[in-house]
Amino acid sequence: MVKWTLRFDDIIADALDAGPLRMEEYPLPETVISQLEATDTNGVPKEVVAELIRYYLANKPDDTDWVVMPVANFDAYYGNNNLSKKWLAKIPKLLIQRENRHGICRCKILL
């Protein structure tokens, strides 16, 4: 049996490597806002889709179009599990392309 041990020193070292917490606002570009306004989100609140797009733009690496989506964190952010249980499956594939592999959800914004 393998035991995984979390050491306080390792956690502090990881936090120092990650750097300070980010609190920046990421405004959506006007083109994305106008496309989002004109798109039917299939009953998903537009502010939820806008928040996912903001997360995508803030965390997109330069070398790929895919971003890992922390679904459990978004559920916690909204204070319920509506994103994972209700909204995520309803978001039109014309807006967000999703892949689930090995328990990881990643997305690509198509706007």
Side-chain angles (χ1 to χ4, degrees), residues 23-27 54:
M23 297 295 291
E24 298 97 7
E25 288 288 326
Y26 289 96
R54 278 189 199 92

Side-chain angles (χ1 to χ4, degrees), residues 55-57 59-69 95-99 106-111:
Y55 178 84
Y56 175 85
L57 294 174
N59 293 286
K60 183 185 164 304
D62 294 333
D63 60 346
T64 182
D65 288 335
W66 292 95
V67 171
V68 173
M69 182 188 302
L95 290 174
I96 298 176
Q97 182 180 354
R98 287 187 312 124
E99 284 186 356
R106 57 186 206 149
C107 68
K108 178 170 42 172
I109 303 297
L110 303 175
L111 290 179

Side-chain angles (χ1 to χ4, degrees), residues 21 24 36 44 47 51 60 69 85-86 94 103:
L21 292 175
E24 298 97 7
L36 185 57
V44 179
E47 57 270 7
E51 195 64 38
K60 183 185 164 304
M69 182 188 302
K85 301 288 183 197
K86 184 176 174 183
L94 297 172

Side-chain angles (χ1 to χ4, degrees), residues 24-39:
E24 298 97 7
E25 288 288 326
Y26 289 96
L28 292 176
E30 289 297 324
T31 56
V32 172
I33 292 172
S34 62
Q35 287 176 325
L36 185 57
E37 294 288 328
T39 303

